[in-house]
Amino acid sequence: MTPQTTSYGILIAALGGEGGGVLADWLVQCALRHGLPVQATSVPGVAQRTGATSYYIELLREPLPGPAQPVFGLTPVPGCVDVVVASELLEAARMVERGFVTARTTLLSSTHRVYTTLEKMHMADGRQDPQRLVDAARAMARHTVLFDMEAITTRSGTVVSAVMFGALAGAGVLPWPRSVCEDVIRESGKGVQASLAGFSAAFDEAHQPSNPEPVVSRDALQVLADAALPPALQSAWTVRLQAWPETVQLIAVHGALRCRDYQHDAYASAFLDQVQGLVEASTPLAAEALDEAVRHLALWMCFEDVIRVADLKTRRSRYARVATEAQVRPGDIVRVTEHFKPGIDEVAAVLPRALGERLVSLATRRGWMGKAHVGLHIRSTSLWGFLMLRGLAWLRPLRPRSLRYAQEHETLRVWLGAMRQVLPQAPALALVLSGLPQVLKGYGDTQARGRLNYARLWAEHVVPALTGAVDADTATEGLRAALKATLADPEGKLNTAHRPPAGAQPIFWAARPTKETPLTTGA
C-alpha cells in the first residue's frame, strides 16, 4: 500500500442467521464494481447467544495507480475502525466495550433487543438497560444512526442484512452511489424485491430520520397474536397500546388478557382505562414506578377468591399438568383430591355485599370469625366433585356484586388515586408505593392478615406523605423499610390484632399412654 492511500474499515456485528455474511459479500461486490481493492474476513463466535459473528471489510478509498497491491489487516484493530454496523443494540455495546467505536467511528445500530442467555437466566429481571447502551454509543462514536431495524425488517418481509445495507448507504459512509448497492442486490437472485424494500426504507431512515410513529412493540403484538382474540377486540387494544411506552405495552397486554380470563372483555377494558390514567400521570423519571404500578394493578384486579380457585382447579390444562408431573402412563387412573377449609369469611366474600356484611357482623359479635371452619376433601376427578367445583366457578357473573369485590375495588381506587398523585411529583415514593399491593394475597386468614397489614402501612406511611406531614424522601425510606419487614412477616405478628391476647390460656388434656397404646414418634 502506498503512503498516499489509506484503508477504510467496516465492521459488521450480526447474530447467527441474520445474513451478516450476505451483507459482507454485497459490500465486496460493490467495492469491486467501483474499482476499489477490498478484503473481507469473518470471526465466528459464541460471545452472547450462540451465533454472534463479526465480519470485517477493509478497502481503499480510491483505486491504486499502477500494479501495486495493498496489504489489508485480517482482523479489526481497536481505534482503527471507521464504520461499525450492528444488528442489535447489545451487539453495538459489545463493539463499544471492545474499543472499536471511537471518535473516528460512525456507528449504525438497531435499537431493538434480542436477549442474551445470561439475561434470560437471571432470577429476577436481568435485562440490560437499553438507555444506558444508547448513551454509551452516542458518547463514544463520532456519529450515530440508531433506529429499529427489526421493525423495518418485519414490514419489508426481508432479513436484517438488507436493512443494515440500506443504513450504510443512507448514512453516506460508502464510497459509491446508491445505484451500485441496488444493482448488487438485484443480481443476488433471491428475495430481491423484499431486500430492495428493506434497503430503501432503511436508506431513507438513515439519510433523513423520521419522527417515530406510535407503534406497538413486537413482543406485545406476538402476545396478542398468540391469544387469538376476536379481530375487533385485538384492533381496539392495539390502538390503545400505541401511545404507551413499550415496557408498559407488554405488561398491559398480559394484564388485559388476565383480566379477560378472570371476568370478561369489559373488565379487561376497565383495566386498560386505569392503565391510561397512570400513563397520563407519569413522567419519564417515573418509568420504573409506572411499570410496577401497571403490573400490580393487573394482579390486584384478578384477586383470588373461591370462585377463581374453583375455576383454576377444574381446567383441562391443570389436569394435564398434574398428569405430567405425576408421570402418568397410558392406562393409569388418576384421582385428584382437593383440600378445602372454608370459613365464614370465605363464604361471606362471595355473597352479595349487604348479606355478606351482615354475616361477618354476626360472626364477629359471636366470636365465630377464625374459628368456624369446615374441612372438605373433594375429589375433582369424580363427577360429583367436578360439578361441585364448577358450580362455584359458574358464580363468576355474580362476582361484581360480592362483598370481596366491593372491598378490593374500594381500596384499589384509593391506591390508584395516590399513585396518580405521586407519580409526577415523587418518582422514588411512587416506586415504593407501587409495590404496596404485594401485602394483599390469597383468601381466608391470609387475606385478612393482608388487609390489616395494608391498613397499617397506609395509615402510618402513605397518609402522612400524601397530606404533606412528612417529606417525600422520609416517607419513601420509611415505607420501603416497613414494606420489607411486612413481607418478611407471613404470620402477621406486626399487627397488634394478631398478637395472642394476654391472660389465661386453654389447657389441653391427653390420655396417659398404656401398653396397648404406646407412644409413637414420627421420623
Side-chain angles (χ1 to χ4, degrees):
M1 184 184 303
T2 62
Q4 290 78 19
T5 59
T6 58
S7 62
Y8 188 72
I10 301 175
L11 179 58
I12 302 169
L15 306 182
E18 291 184 333
V22 174
L23 175 56
D25 290 341
W26 281 342
L27 290 172
V28 169
Q29 292 299 320
C30 289
L32 294 177
R33 283 171 175 261
H34 206 58
L36 299 177
V38 62
Q39 176 178 277
T41 58
S42 63
V43 181
V46 290
Q48 295 186 53
R49 310 162 185 80
T50 310
T53 302
S54 298
Y55 302 87
Y56 182 59
I57 297 94
E58 195 167 306
L59 63 149
L60 297 187
R61 299 177 185 273
E62 58 186 30
L64 273 177
Q69 294 296 322
V71 177
F72 294 118
L74 294 176
T75 58
V77 177
C80 298
V81 178
D82 298 279
V83 180
V84 172
V85 56
S87 65
E88 188 266 350
L89 188 56
L90 195 59
E91 282 298 312
R94 187 163 67 92
M95 296 297 104
V96 172
E97 180 187 28
R98 294 177 63 185
F100 294 125
V101 178
T102 62
R104 68 180 282 176
T105 309
T106 296
L107 173 63
L108 303 97
S109 174
S110 178
T111 55
H112 83 284
R113 286 300 325 281
V114 178
Y115 297 122
T116 67
T117 303
L118 289 177
E119 287 177 295
K120 296 176 182 178
M121 290 171 58
H122 199 280
M123 294 296 292
D125 186 354
R127 295 174 297 175
Q128 295 288 334
D129 182 1
Q131 190 57 49
R132 290 184 62 191
L133 304 181
V134 170
D135 292 343
R138 288 175 173 162
M140 297 300 296
R142 179 182 66 85
H143 177 59
T144 57
V145 177
L146 306 174
F147 62 94
D148 190 346
M149 296 184 184
E150 177 64 21
I152 294 179
T153 300
T154 302
R155 289 199 300 267
S156 304
T158 184
V159 291
V160 75
S161 56
V163 177
M164 296 166 72
F165 198 18
L168 285 167
V173 297
L174 299 178
W176 51 77
R178 173 178 179 172
S179 59
V180 174
C181 301
E182 293 175 332
D183 289 342
V184 168
I185 292 176
R186 289 189 184 95
E187 294 180 5
S188 60
K190 188 175 182 180
V192 170
Q193 294 304 318
S195 295
L196 287 173
F199 175 92
S200 178
F203 182 97
D204 294 339
E205 182 65 33
H207 184 67
Q208 188 173 2
S210 60
N211 294 325
E213 298 180 358
V215 295
V216 180
S217 71
R218 180 180 57 173
D219 292 339
L221 288 175
Q222 186 62 52
V223 172
L224 283 174
D226 294 341
L229 297 172
L233 184 63
Q234 181 171 343
S235 177
W237 286 11
T238 302
V239 171
R240 302 192 68 169
L241 294 172
Q242 287 179 352
W244 299 348
E246 286 193 8
T247 53
V248 173
Q249 291 175 4
L250 185 58
I251 300 171
V253 167
H254 283 293
L257 292 174
R258 187 184 184 99
C259 289
R260 182 175 185 262
D261 176 72
Y262 182 81
Q263 196 64 32
H264 43 52
D265 291 350
Y267 198 62
S269 179
F271 164 76
L272 294 176
D273 289 341
Q274 300 295 356
V275 173
Q276 179 66 37
L278 292 172
V279 172
E280 291 176 351
S282 184
T283 65
L285 294 177
E288 185 178 0
L290 175 62
D291 293 347
E292 285 298 296
V294 174
R295 185 169 68 88
H296 286 294
L297 171 63
L299 296 174
W300 196 345
M301 289 186 65
C302 299
F303 59 87
E304 288 187 357
D305 54 10
V306 293
I307 300 173
R308 178 67 167 175
V309 172
D311 180 28
L312 295 176
K313 285 184 177 293
T314 51
R315 293 192 177 187
R316 184 186 300 272
S317 58
R318 193 251 179 163
Y319 290 117
R321 177 175 56 82
V322 170
T324 301
E325 293 176 353
Q327 299 181 358
V328 174
R329 295 172 297 181
D332 288 349
I333 297 175
V334 180
R335 293 188 175 96
V336 181
T337 301
E338 316 291 353
H339 296 264
F340 290 91
K341 194 178 179 181
I344 292 176
D345 44 0
E346 284 97 339
V347 175
V350 297
L351 292 177
R353 180 173 186 174
L355 185 59
E357 288 176 340
R358 285 198 292 269
L359 176 59
V360 171
S361 177
L362 175 64
T364 301
R365 290 198 308 270
R366 299 194 176 185
W368 296 342
M369 295 297 292
K371 298 179 180 179
H373 293 280
V374 178
L376 299 176
H377 299 262
I378 302 174
R379 183 174 293 175
S380 59
T381 48
S382 68
L383 178 61
W384 175 248
F386 179 82
L387 291 178
M388 182 183 297
L389 293 178
R390 286 313 302 171
L392 285 173
W394 289 331
L395 295 177
R396 182 167 63 174
L398 302 180
R399 179 187 277 138
R401 301 180 183 179
S402 68
L403 173 61
R404 176 75 183 277
Y405 185 95
Q407 292 173 337
E408 296 291 347
H409 279 264
E410 285 177 358
T411 310
L412 176 60
R413 280 193 292 272
V414 177
W415 175 78
L416 283 169
M419 286 301 305
R420 289 192 292 267
Q421 177 180 337
V422 300
L423 273 170
Q425 301 174 2
L429 176 59
L431 178 59
V432 181
L433 181 58
S434 68
L436 185 58
Q438 294 176 86
V439 302
L440 298 171
K441 298 178 180 179
Y443 55 95
D445 292 341
T446 301
Q447 191 258 344
R449 287 194 296 269
R451 292 188 68 82
L452 288 173
N453 283 327
Y454 186 93
R456 172 174 53 83
L457 293 174
W458 187 271
E460 294 179 1
H461 299 281
V462 180
V463 171
L466 297 178
T467 58
V470 297
D471 62 90
D473 293 339
T474 302
T476 300
E477 294 304 319
L479 181 57
R480 180 183 290 112
L483 181 58
K484 181 179 180 181
T486 300
L487 293 175
D489 176 42
E491 300 300 324
K493 295 179 181 179
L494 293 174
N495 297 314
T496 56
H498 283 274
R499 292 174 183 169
Q505 297 294 322
I507 299 176
F508 296 94
W509 299 92
R512 177 178 296 175
T514 64
K515 293 182 179 180
E516 290 76 13
T517 58
L519 285 171
T520 60
T521 58

